[in-house]
Amino acid sequence: MLIKLTGGTVYDPMHGINGEVRDIYIQDGRITDPPNDMPIHQVYSLNNKIVMAGAIDIHSHIGGGNVNIARTLLPEDHWANPLPHTELLRAGSGHIIPSTFATGYRYAEMGYTAVFEPAVLPMNARQAHMEMGDIPLIDKGGYALLGNDDYGLRMLAANKDQKAFNDYVAWILRASQCLGIKVVNPGGINAFKFNQRRLHLDEPGPYYGVTPRQILLRLARALHELDVPHPLHVHGCNLGVPGNLETTLSTIEGIAGLPMHLAHIQFHSYGAEGDRKFSSGAAQIAEAVNRNPNITVDVGQILFGQTVTVSSDSMQQYANHLHAYPKKWAFVDIECDAGCGIVPFKYLDKNFVNALQWTIGLEIFLLVDDPWRVFLTTDHPNGAPFVSYPHLIRLLMDRSFRNDMLATIHPDAARASTLGAITREYSLYEIAVMTRAGAAKLLGLSDRGHLGIGAAADITVYTKQEDKEKMFSKPDYVFKDGELIVRNGEIIKVTWGTTHVVRPEFDNSIEKELSNYFDRYLPMKLGNFKIHDEEMIYFGQGHIQVHPCRERNSS
C-alpha cells in the first residue's frame, strides 16, 4: 500500500528541515521516494498540520522488577485510574506507574513511538523483556546495569586488563539483549551492602577497594572501544544530596574526554548555599555541558504532584525513605547484581526544596545551548509521570506561561532562581531535536527519529496551536511503521513494536571463567542467564532489530 501525507509543515532536524511544506510517502512501513506511476491508495491532507517523526523517550522506567514492586506498593494508584476493556483495547490501570498495556496506549496517544528502560538488571533481564514485550504500540530497548555487580567489581579489584573487561561488557550486552550500559551510583550500591551510607567519587569502596571514578572510566572506555553507539549512561554519585554539584562537575571533567551521558541531571545539580543550605547549581552544570562536547544529559524534570520514585540506587533511596508519601517503601537486592528502592513521593509547589528543584530542571533545559545534547525526560516516574510531557514542553516553549507558573511557587525558591530572567523559548525545531532526532542519534538508531528516505515510518502529526500543551497532548495522527494507530488522540489500531539491541564482538572464551563463577555463586547456570532471540519474540509480539556498532574510530 502506498500512502501520501501531503501539505504538512515538516520539522526534520536530521535533514535540516525547519518548517517546510513537504509531501511524505509511505510504503511497506518505510518512508519512500515519490512514486512515478504507482497508484496512491490513501492520501492525508495535512494543511496547517505539523509533521514530525515519532517521539523517542531515552529514559523512562517502564519494565522490570522495580516497576512491578512500585505497582504492588501503590494499589490506590490503580484503583483510582482504571482503564476499561474495549473491543480494541485490553484492560489496565494506573496513572503514576501504569500497567503495561496502559503504558503503551498513553505513550502512543502523545505521539511517542519508542521508549527505553534505563535499568535492566542483567539477572532480571528476562522478566524485564517479557514485561516490556507486553507493552503495545511502541518500540522498546534497555540499558543493562553494571558497576555494582559482583563479577565486574572482582575484575576491577584484580586489575584485569581492559580487553578482558571489554569482553565482559560485550557479553553482558549480548546475554541481556540490551542496547546500552547504565551505571547507578557506581560502587555505592555495593558499599551500602557493607553498611556504608555514602561513597564519594574518589573514595575506595569498603570491600573491593575500587573507587566510583575507576568504575566510570573503565566502563566508559569499554563502550568506546567496543564502538557501542550509546555512551555510558550514568546515574552519578550522591543523587539528591545538597552540594552534589561539585561531584557532578568532577565527574564531567574527570571522564578523560570519553563519551558519557548523565541521566536526570537535575537531581545532581544542587549547591549548598543560602540559609537552607540548598541552592541551584544549574548555571555551573550547563556551563560544563556546553564546554564538554563529549557530554550529553537528560534532565529528569520534576513536576508537582504525587508520584513514586523507583531506583536501583538503594543507598540513596534508603536515605529518602523518611520523606515517603504515603508512608511506605520497599527495598530489594537481587543476587549482588544491583539494588532496588521504591519510595512514593509528592512534590509540592509550596515546599522550598521541591520548588527550587522545579526551577533547577528548567534552568538546565534553557541554559544548555545545544538541544542535540539535552533530552526531555522526567525520569518517569521519579520526577513526574511521563503523561506530563506536554505540560513540560509548554514550559519550555512559552516564557509567559513559565513565568506565570513561577509566580505560584514558594516565593523564596522563586527569588533564589534565575529562571524568571531567562528569555529563551524552545522552537518547534528544537523540540523535534531533543525528542526525536537527537535521541535517535544518541542511541544509534539510524532509521528512527527522522523522515528521510528509508526511515521507519514512525510519524506524528499535530494541529498547530498556540497552547503547546494542548497541541502535544493530542496528535491528529500517529503512524507506527507505516500503520495508522492513533487518530485525533485516540488509538484505532494496536500493533507491536521492535526491541532494539546492539551486539559488539567479544572473545567467547570469557564464558569459561564466567561459567565457573555462575556455578559457585549464582542460583542459575550461565546457559539459563543468556536470553535467546526466540524468547524475545513473545507469541509473535514484535521482533528484534540489531543495530550496528560504529566503524572503529577510536585511537
Side-chain angles (χ1 to χ4, degrees), residues 168-190:
Y168 172 60
V169 171
W171 184 85
I172 284 288
L173 281 168
R174 180 64 179 257
S176 63
Q177 298 273 11
C178 281
L179 185 70
I181 295 292
K182 165 91 171 291
V183 58
V184 173
N185 192 353
I189 300 169
N190 183 269

Side-chain angles (χ1 to χ4, degrees), residues 299-320:
V299 170
Q301 178 68 36
I302 76 144
L303 296 165
F304 302 117
Q306 178 70 56
T307 192
V308 57
T309 60
V310 301
S311 177
S312 300
D313 194 344
S314 47
M315 173 186 273
Q316 193 55 42
Q317 287 293 72
Y318 181 76
N320 291 336

Side-chain angles (χ1 to χ4, degrees), residues 13 38 91-92 97 99 114 177 229 241 244-245 252 295 327 374-375 389 396 409 472 484 504 518 536:
M38 290 183 62
I97 190 78
S99 59
Q177 298 273 11
V241 177
N244 63 13
L245 164 68
I252 292 173
I295 301 298
K327 294 293 183 186
V374 58
F375 299 93
Y389 283 177
L396 298 177
I409 68 171
F472 282 96
L484 184 62
F518 271 72
M536 302 290 292

Side-chain angles (χ1 to χ4, degrees), residues 85 133-134 154 214 268-269 287 300 316 321 364 408 477 486:
H85 166 81
D134 235 13
R154 284 170 184 261
Q214 289 173 317
H268 300 273
S269 303
E287 182 184 356
Q316 193 55 42
H321 81 279
I364 294 171
T408 67
Y477 303 110
V486 172

Side-chain angles (χ1 to χ4, degrees), residues 224-225 227 550-555:
H224 184 61
E225 293 184 357
D227 294 317
R550 297 184 304 261
E551 292 185 8
R552 181 162 292 278
N553 56 7
S554 57
S555 58

Side-chain angles (χ1 to χ4, degrees), residues 215-273:
I215 296 170
L216 289 173
L217 283 167
R218 293 292 291 271
L219 284 171
R221 183 178 169 189
L223 292 171
H224 184 61
E225 293 184 357
L226 290 167
D227 294 317
V228 173
H230 186 48
L232 182 62
H233 199 99
V234 176
H235 161 141
C237 304
N238 298 331
L239 177 142
V241 177
N244 63 13
L245 164 68
E246 297 303 325
T247 303
T248 307
L249 293 174
S250 182
T251 302
I252 292 173
E253 301 294 347
I255 199 66
L258 291 164
M260 180 172 66
H261 178 83
L262 291 170
H264 40 69
I265 190 77
Q266 180 275 136
F267 291 106
H268 300 273
S269 303
Y270 303 151
E273 299 176 354

